[in-house]
Amino acid sequence: MARRIQPALSEIGDAARALRQGKLVAFPTETVYGLGGDATSDRAVAAIFAAKGRPSFNPLIVHVANIASAAQYAELSPKAQTVARAFWPGPLTLVLPRRRDCKISLLATAGLDSVAIRVPAHKIAQTLLMMAGLPLAAPSANPSGRLSPTSADHVMADLGDKVEFVIDGGACSVGVESTVLSLLEDRPRILRPGAVTAEALSEVLKEPVQIEQGVEDAAAPRSPGRLLSHYAPTLPVRLDAAAAEPGEALLGFGPAAPKDALNLSPTGDLQEAAANLFTMLRQLDDPKHLAIAVMPVPETGLGVAINDRLHRAAASR
Ligand code: TXA
Ligand code: MG
């Protein structure tokens, strides 16, 4: 069983040492908990794929402490530098060309000539990256295809027997995974919506930023976060529900929801809703119900990311 540790410096030091020995450590970020391993070690990266049961063609996000470390692994075009300066540290992942001399394991990038990099804003993640002195490959710390973890309890329940340490940083403030922005082509494309919105990116880049629509080819996904059935609870999910049908559990949103229902945000606040999303879906994902019915969430700001995850959760599998 994993050692669950508090974020004291000496404890984070133990976790950093374990990472340098090729072991796995789950740690909090502002988005969701990550399942971290040394991104330069094929062995550590293989252990991440094994722990998640993740198809190995799915590339992982590499976490680094700052822009300078990112520049060791990826080519940062002027455009990339502009967004990095505006949004890092923060809930944004950039897909960039891999540098020729990039030391990241080819397994982590699934043999692609690009690499997904992010500088997390969470203090514990930052401290861990500094102390380990390594780039950390870290997908969300959940079994492949299931809901992402937003608390140490979630990680212990899902992967407690597969990691050395779980660093307990409490609940994640953002609650949905980072925005993934590809800067590989002329036009910037959002492969996965998140807290950094298309509007915010296009304002900084001074050009339109498209959200990639449609579903990836499951046999060769460029961004598996875009596979239709992803982030799924065990129960079926019904969207745009006005009320619960018999046997359904209701996940409410806003002041119109019944008082006895779990509510993503009684005041209709999208930030609060994102932070509650995965925890509440987990709470309702109980075999005593037949399905989870979810009330509509507006498609603005963070609502785009929330609806993206809800649509995937509802996709038939
Ligand atoms: O918020 C997050 O991003 C969390 C925390 C732990 O940082 N991490 C996370 O990682 O969600 P993961 O591995 O579950 O999601 C990685 C996403 C997937 O959608 C993957 O397809 C995409 O990034 N990705 C990674 N490398 C890529 C690449 N070279 N090209 C295109 N997409 C890539
Ligand atoms: Mg994930």
Side-chain angles (χ1 to χ4, degrees):
M1 212 49 187
R3 219 177 102 199
R4 179 176 181 144
I5 58 178
Q6 296 306 312
L9 274 188
S10 64
E11 307 254 50
I12 299 178
D14 290 347
R17 201 164 318 110
L19 286 165
R20 283 198 301 271
Q21 291 164 355
K23 296 180 177 144
L24 304 187
V25 171
F27 63 94
T29 80
E30 71 276 29
T31 58
V32 301
Y33 275 70
L35 172 61
D38 177 357
T40 65
S41 156
D42 289 332
R43 202 167 53 86
V45 172
I48 293 176
F49 284 120
K52 279 188 66 96
R54 179 159 173 160
S56 53
F57 48 66
N58 291 6
L60 305 177
I61 295 176
V62 176
H63 296 65
V64 295
N66 49 45
I67 298 184
S69 336
Q72 287 183 264
Y73 309 110
E75 307 279 1
L76 266 75
S77 64
K79 234 184 238 190
Q81 292 182 33
T82 303
V83 263
R85 273 199 293 268
F87 297 104
W88 280 353
L92 176 70
T93 296
L94 296 179
V95 178
L96 302 168
R98 240 183 107 104
R99 270 177 64 143
R100 267 173 177 285
D101 58 353
C102 177
K103 293 202 177 69
I104 304 293
S105 153
L106 287 168
L107 197 54
T109 53
L112 299 173
D113 48 18
S114 57
V115 56
I117 300 199
R118 135 166 154 85
V119 177
H122 198 290
K123 236 182 125 194
I124 296 171
Q126 278 281 340
T127 308
L128 184 67
L129 285 163
M130 298 289 199
M131 291 182 101
L134 294 168
L136 297 180
S140 49
N142 53 285
S144 188
R146 313 309 303 189
L147 295 171
S148 291
T150 52
S151 75
D153 283 342
H154 296 163
V155 182
M156 288 300 290
D158 287 358
L159 296 175
D161 54 344
K162 304 229 163 63
V163 297
E164 203 73 12
F165 293 102
V166 176
I167 308 179
D168 188 347
C172 300
S173 61
V174 175
V176 292
E177 302 84 348
S178 61
T179 304
V180 178
L181 179 73
S182 169
L183 292 175
L184 295 179
E185 288 118 42
D186 278 351
R187 291 177 134 264
R189 291 181 304 128
I190 292 179
L191 303 180
R192 180 176 73 183
V196 175
T197 61
E199 292 76 23
L201 286 164
S202 105
E203 196 170 300
V204 163
L205 283 167
K206 300 188 170 52
E207 66 178 306
V209 176
Q210 305 277 343
I211 301 182
E212 200 81 339
Q213 298 299 337
V215 178
E216 284 287 307
D217 175 0
R222 276 172 309 171
S223 198
R226 300 183 53 236
L227 287 173
L228 188 51
S229 179
H230 204 78
Y231 317 106
T234 314
L235 289 179
V237 174
R238 184 169 68 86
L239 300 181
D240 290 325
E245 303 285 339
E248 283 182 340
L250 185 67
L251 182 56
F253 176 82
K259 292 281 166 285
D260 57 346
L262 268 189
N263 196 323
L264 288 168
S265 170
T267 59
D269 179 83
L270 290 168
Q271 235 147 306
E272 182 184 27
N276 283 331
L277 180 66
F278 290 135
T279 301
M280 290 189 172
L281 281 173
R282 279 170 188 259
Q283 267 173 278
L284 296 179
D285 194 16
D286 183 315
K288 74 178 184 221
H289 307 301
L290 294 177
I292 303 171
V294 189
M295 289 179 69
V297 174
E299 183 76 359
T300 54
L302 246 182
V304 175
I306 295 171
N307 284 322
D308 173 80
R309 305 309 188 273
L310 284 172
H311 281 115
R312 290 170 207 286
S316 60
R317 346 178 181 124

